[in-house]
Amino acid sequence: MLVPYAGDVKTSAELVVALEAAGLDQVFVPEAYSFDAVSVVGALAALTSRIEIGTGVLNVYSRTPALLGMTAAGCDAVSQGRFILGLGASGPQVIEGFHGVPYDTPLARIRETIEVVRMVLRREVLQYEGKALHIPLPAGQGTGLAKPLKLINHPVRSAVPIWWASLMPKAVEATAEVADGWMPVFFIAERADSVWGEALGAGTARRSAELGPLQVVAGGPVAIGDDAPVDRAREAVRKQAALYVGGMGARGKNFYNTVCTQYGWADEARTVQDLYLDGKKAEAAAALPAELVDGLHLTGPKGYVAERIAAYREAGVTSLFVEPVEGTDPVRMITALRELVDAG
């Protein structure tokens, strides 16, 4: 489950506690340009005992790689080994427009950041020379007093799971090679292989056996039963998808729009973006392909939801990312979903 950007943090935390008791296994805290995710992770860690708590996601520009390693160690300590570090590149509008940092070499930066984070967690003296990262600061830069250091504390775990929110083929390939988990957006089970299958295969072929199988999370709004509010779920998907496909990025630099195009909906992707950027958000949402919308929720009778779960399994998904549909009983929905997952 994803903690919502908006709303009261206390209310969200209370819901997570209730859902943990109902069988929820993982919760992720988003950030973007909202409240920082790390504060909320700490609050959730203090109130829960079993559930895994992840960031969904921290960008690799607004914090140094060493700080991300320190954050992983700290969050894992307060949660007693239940933390997942979700990382991503975000996009130039957020990184340059909100953080004032150049959006350069995103693929190399994330890959190298993962290596640095793992070095920090292993308490290695931090010396790293890469394409994007240079630690300590090279000679001739700064004061000249840079000194290689290692983490003071002994982490709860010397390796924290690192999940990469990647979309483009080269980044997905690198994810399959070096990350513990993959957090794709707009994962349509029946079409995912046509977009990402080749990249996943190439990366997996170079993957170290020590990492184990790549974990994959995907899903959407959930409500189960003959009276499930399918129209409400579709509306939630349409609203969110229109924002991402239409408005999360500039023309020619919107990764979510590119994925929609790669799925085979190029005309629709262009139309949605044109409408959204013209301020016609409702029309943009209505222009989304029905197959995309229905591929991004798990709402309907038990048999239908069971079929969707099976389709995700077949596509390689290992964790269902779910959000109870607004207006339904979240605890009852998670309990029902847990039963269907266990039965499969």
Side-chain angles (χ1 to χ4, degrees), residues 3 6 31-32 79 98-99 132 136 173 179 181 198 207 243 254 267 277 280 298 307 310 312 327:
V3 174
E31 188 170 83
S79 66
F98 190 69
H99 294 290
E173 183 176 334
E198 185 176 344
R207 185 178 181 83
L243 167 64
N254 180 324
D267 292 341
L277 294 180
K280 301 175 181 178
L298 299 97
E307 290 176 1
Y312 277 120

Side-chain angles (χ1 to χ4, degrees), residues 175-200:
T175 301
E177 180 184 357
V178 305
D180 297 284
W182 178 39
M183 306 172 73
V185 177
F186 297 152
F187 187 98
I188 309 295
E190 292 79 4
R191 296 197 179 207
D193 185 67
S194 65
V195 175
W196 294 303
E198 185 176 344
L200 288 170

Side-chain angles (χ1 to χ4, degrees), residues 28-329:
F28 287 88
V29 183
E31 188 170 83
Y33 43 101
S34 180
F35 289 154
D36 78 288
V38 178
S39 298
V40 181
V41 168
L44 294 178
L47 295 171
T48 57
S49 60
R50 178 190 59 80
I51 197 168
E52 290 184 296
I53 308 167
T55 51
V57 296
L58 301 182
N59 76 73
V60 295
Y61 290 93
S62 58
R63 296 173 176 88
T64 69
L67 178 56
L68 287 168
M70 294 163 63
T71 299
C75 289
D76 208 44
V78 298
S79 66
Q80 285 299 291
R82 294 183 287 129
F83 182 62
I84 297 171
L85 178 62
L87 296 177
S90 187
Q93 286 191 329
V94 172
I95 300 307
E96 297 183 349
F98 190 69
H99 294 290
V101 177
Y103 188 80
D104 54 3
T105 60
L107 176 55
R109 190 175 185 92
I110 297 185
R111 185 178 183 123
E112 293 175 9
T113 294
I114 290 173
E115 293 176 2
V116 169
V117 167
R118 287 174 174 158
M119 291 174 68
V120 171
L121 289 166
R122 292 193 298 264
R123 298 190 71 241
E124 297 177 10
V125 175
L126 192 52
Q127 294 180 282
Y128 189 90
E129 188 65 30
K131 178 180 179 181
L133 305 179
H134 310 279
I135 309 170
L137 203 62
Q141 297 184 33
T143 64
L145 300 176
K147 178 182 177 180
L149 299 169
K150 68 178 180 180
L151 187 70
I152 294 173
N153 311 72
H154 289 262
V156 171
R157 292 183 291 178
S158 60
V160 167
I162 302 176
W163 291 24
W164 186 342
S166 57
L167 287 175
M168 297 298 98
K170 287 296 183 183
V172 171
E173 183 176 334
T175 301
E177 180 184 357
V178 305
D180 297 284
W182 178 39
M183 306 172 73
V185 177
F186 297 152
F187 187 98
I188 309 295
E190 292 79 4
R191 296 197 179 207
D193 185 67
S194 65
V195 175
W196 294 303
E198 185 176 344
L200 288 170
T204 300
R206 299 191 302 272
R207 185 178 181 83
S208 169
E210 294 179 359
L211 287 174
L214 181 70
Q215 302 300 299
V216 181
V217 60
V222 60
I224 303 168
D226 293 334
D227 59 345
V230 178
D231 288 342
R232 201 180 307 159
R234 286 174 176 152
E235 182 64 24
V237 170
R238 284 189 180 279
K239 183 177 180 180
Q240 185 77 354
L243 167 64
Y244 278 76
V245 174
M248 280 290 192
R251 297 182 195 276
K253 201 67 174 180
N254 180 324
F255 305 126
Y256 312 101
N257 190 280
T258 299
V259 169
C260 189
T261 297
Q262 290 171 339
Y263 272 139
W265 296 309
D267 292 341
E268 293 89 339
R270 190 179 307 108
T271 298
V272 169
Q273 186 175 60
D274 288 343
L275 289 168
Y276 200 94
L277 294 180
D278 285 343
K280 301 175 181 178
K281 297 180 181 180
E283 292 93 331
L288 288 163
E291 185 182 344
L292 182 147
V293 172
D294 283 333
L296 295 176
H297 72 80
L298 299 97
T299 303
K302 280 188 176 182
Y304 173 79
V305 176
E307 290 176 1
R308 297 308 306 150
I309 293 172
Y312 277 120
R313 276 202 182 103
E314 179 67 22
V317 172
T318 59
S319 296
L320 281 176
F321 174 80
V322 296
E323 299 174 75
V325 175
E326 186 177 355
T328 62
D329 180 347

